[in-house]
Amino acid sequence: MKNTLYRRAAFGFAGAILAILLALQALSGIATRANPEIAVSLNGLNGLAREQLAALRFRDAATSTQQIPQAAASSVDIAIAAYRSDPLVPKALMIAALSASDEATKARIVATANQLNRRDLSLQGLVMEQRLANNDYAGVVDTLDQILRVHPEYSPEFFPLLEEALVEPGTKEVFEDLIDGSSGWHEDFLAGAVRNEAARIALAAIRPAITVTDPLFDRRLIAGLAEQGELGRAQSLYTFLQSDNPAGEEGDAALLAWQGQYPPFDWQFASRREIRAQESLSGDTLELFVRPGQGGVVARRYIGAMQEGVRLVTRLKASRTVLLGRVRLEVFCPGTADALASLALINGSNALDVPPAPDGCEAWRLQVYARSFRDEPTLRADLDPLKLVMLPASSPAATEQPGALQDAPPKATSPL
């Protein structure tokens, strides 16, 4: 609770200060080609000239944030006169709001101004300040969207605020409705937010409802969630992204093709000069290459843990005889050193029975290990995609809990 309150306080304070600074910055760019004092003297009904005059006097007097109320009060009469001559003068309304003696009056002026003009940066800064004061995070996000659509150059200043809003309770639907790809800042915001550990969890929650065109975003989001231990969320997101492109199925079997679009729930491959694995040009097999004296994990991916026993079926093809133990298929629960199941592959057909996942194991890490000793030739082999077959409940592997490994794997560091 304290952390939430602290974030809200920090968010509100930073937003209020930033809103005022942006208002001042916007005022500094007011056009001064014509002398507003002369224009007012020539035409007392020139609301635009009165607005410029009020804004210039306000800017000259407000040299710091502490002087803003006094500076606004000194120029409010001109601002009000400008509004009476021309109701569509946003900076005059901004000065009137800053000079208001109470928050209720200020809020009324800001609300009126916002109905008249949603593009003026200084006014939108005040609208955002009001909404921050009311803990209206949905309104803050809406205001930021309006600002960034017109002034995308302020993205670096506002994106941290949007990330704070993203993780606040109650803003999920706001972001789901907002991020539809209709504005250029959406993709830039997502690219930055996916690097934030707290924001990733919120992004995973809204991802099914938002529009994303950058394929790297989903890869980074899934990988980031898995890296920070959010395997369940990462798996759910991967399943959603694969809903239109499911794994190949044959009856009760699923084919775990050698694709690597969304690691670690798709395959990751070792890629070094001495040891590597790569999908064949046809995509039908995984090509293994290990020089003498080298070894390690050459392919790895996660899948959701099964509560029933399963069988992993594959075929190893090599031009030379592959000695036992040189290529292994292994299944681990994350964070454990001992394999749930392991099999030394032989040249030809292979099948590894995997028992049901133990309690607390929400995902399985599948990996292919390969090595070649110094006095052996370079290992070259092709491995068919793994076929995952559900075992009947009566099968021993479908009921047994993990025990000793079928074969003890040699120790080796992973090149992945």
Side-chain angles (χ1 to χ4, degrees), residues 384-397:
D384 284 355
L386 302 182
K387 184 185 297 183
L388 191 152
V389 182
M390 304 301 297
L391 294 176
S394 58
S395 171

Side-chain angles (χ1 to χ4, degrees), residues 3 9 29 34 66 78 81-82 89 107 138 168 216 245 254 260 266 278-279 297 303 309 328 335 346 352 377 381:
N3 288 338
Q66 291 78 14
I78 304 175
V89 282
E168 286 292 337
L216 289 178
N245 184 31
D266 282 331
Q278 62 187 24
E279 188 178 3
V297 177
I303 64 171
R328 308 183 61 85
I346 60 173
L352 171 62

Side-chain angles (χ1 to χ4, degrees), residues 21-228:
L21 291 178
L22 284 176
L24 290 173
Q25 185 172 357
L27 288 172
S28 67
I30 295 175
T32 57
R33 289 191 299 268
N35 189 315
E37 290 192 66
I38 295 177
V40 169
S41 66
L42 293 175
N43 182 5
L45 298 179
N46 188 334
L48 180 60
R50 287 184 182 275
E51 180 197 36
Q52 289 183 350
L53 179 58
L56 287 172
R57 289 186 178 180
F58 174 79
R59 184 197 65 185
D60 292 340
T63 56
S64 69
T65 55
Q66 291 78 14
Q67 295 175 324
I68 286 175
Q70 182 179 355
S74 67
S75 55
V76 69
D77 291 341
I78 304 175
I80 292 175
Y83 176 70
R84 288 173 177 168
S85 299
D86 183 354
L88 302 179
V89 282
K91 290 178 176 60
L93 289 170
M94 183 271 296
I95 292 172
L98 289 173
S99 67
S101 58
D102 60 271
E103 290 299 321
T105 302
K106 179 179 180 180
R108 285 197 300 271
I109 297 174
V110 170
T112 301
N114 193 42
Q115 292 176 351
L116 296 174
N117 190 311
R118 293 177 179 268
R119 298 176 64 86
D120 184 79
L121 183 60
S122 57
L123 265 184
Q124 288 305 310
L126 286 178
V127 171
M128 185 172 67
E129 182 190 8
Q130 287 286 309
R131 290 174 172 174
L132 282 167
N134 296 328
N135 288 333
D136 179 10
Y137 296 110
V140 169
V141 173
D142 180 64
T143 304
L144 289 173
D145 180 44
Q146 293 178 33
I147 292 174
L148 291 173
R149 285 177 184 271
V150 180
H151 300 281
E153 67 273 14
Y154 288 107
S155 295
E157 288 83 2
F158 282 126
F159 279 180
L161 296 181
L162 278 168
E163 289 183 20
E164 286 287 339
L166 178 64
V167 301
E168 286 292 337
T171 61
K172 178 176 180 288
E173 292 183 359
V174 177
F175 279 93
E176 287 178 340
D177 293 338
L178 174 67
I179 302 179
D180 57 4
S182 62
S183 181
W185 70 263
H186 292 174
E187 293 289 348
D188 293 338
F189 169 68
L190 293 175
V194 77
R195 299 184 178 93
N196 183 318
E197 186 169 305
R200 286 191 203 117
I201 296 175
L203 289 172
I206 68 172
R207 176 60 185 90
I210 65 176
T211 300
V212 176
T213 58
D214 181 6
L216 289 178
F217 169 77
D218 288 321
R219 295 186 63 182
R220 289 167 178 164
L221 180 55
I222 289 174
L225 288 168
E227 185 178 350
Q228 68 191 65

Side-chain angles (χ1 to χ4, degrees), residues 77 165 340 374 398 416:
D77 291 341
L340 187 65
R374 291 186 181 278
L416 288 177

